[in-house]
Amino acid sequence: MADVVRKFFTTSMLMWIAPILILYGFNNNLFPGSNQLSSHSLTILSGLLAVISVNIVIAFYIYMAMKEPSSKHEPDPAFLAEAKASIKQQQPTSTETEDLSQDRQKHE
């Protein structure tokens, strides 16, 4: 569980930090050649690269999730028992089903 939280926290921070650093770098001419671009081109390029960086981080997170072994995750037995009990409570009995069909026929 701690490993999942760590991965989520890391990728969440990268999703904030990467685009901000890209925008900061372009706006302060830290990247070579960025001072030769027009203001309009600089805005479009920096925004496009910031969006691409977020998509790369998301793809990286998906890749890490897909690499994780599925046998590592076991459902909580208490949760399963509670879920099964709630499903059994929600299923109507045969008499309730008959009553519902009779009510429908009366309304028609």
Side-chain angles (χ1 to χ4, degrees):
M1 181 73 162
D3 191 41
V4 173
V5 173
R6 184 183 52 80
K7 287 178 185 178
F8 179 74
F9 181 75
T10 302
T11 53
S12 295
M13 288 295 103
L14 281 175
M15 283 179 63
W16 281 95
I17 293 169
I20 290 173
L21 286 177
I22 289 171
L23 293 171
Y24 179 81
F26 272 99
N27 289 332
N28 293 302
N29 299 322
L30 298 178
F31 296 114
S34 64
N35 57 352
Q36 297 170 355
L37 296 172
S38 68
S39 174
H40 181 70
S41 297
L42 184 68
T43 302
I44 290 175
L45 183 62
S46 64
L48 181 65
L49 289 176
V51 169
I52 290 171
S53 72
V54 170
N55 284 304
I56 289 172
V57 171
I58 291 170
F60 179 68
Y61 183 73
I62 291 170
Y63 173 74
M64 287 190 322
M66 298 286 283
K67 268 185 53 176
E68 220 172 77
S70 61
S71 62
K72 182 178 173 182
H73 303 287
E74 294 292 326
D76 183 26
F79 173 78
L80 286 177
E82 189 176 316
K84 286 178 183 177
S86 70
I87 289 173
K88 287 180 183 177
Q89 288 177 347
Q90 292 176 357
Q91 293 177 343
T93 61
S94 61
T95 56
E96 290 175 345
T97 308
E98 291 173 6
D99 292 341
L100 288 173
S101 63
Q102 289 175 357
D103 287 341
R104 285 188 196 136
Q105 290 175 356
K106 288 179 184 176
H107 288 292
E108 294 175 1

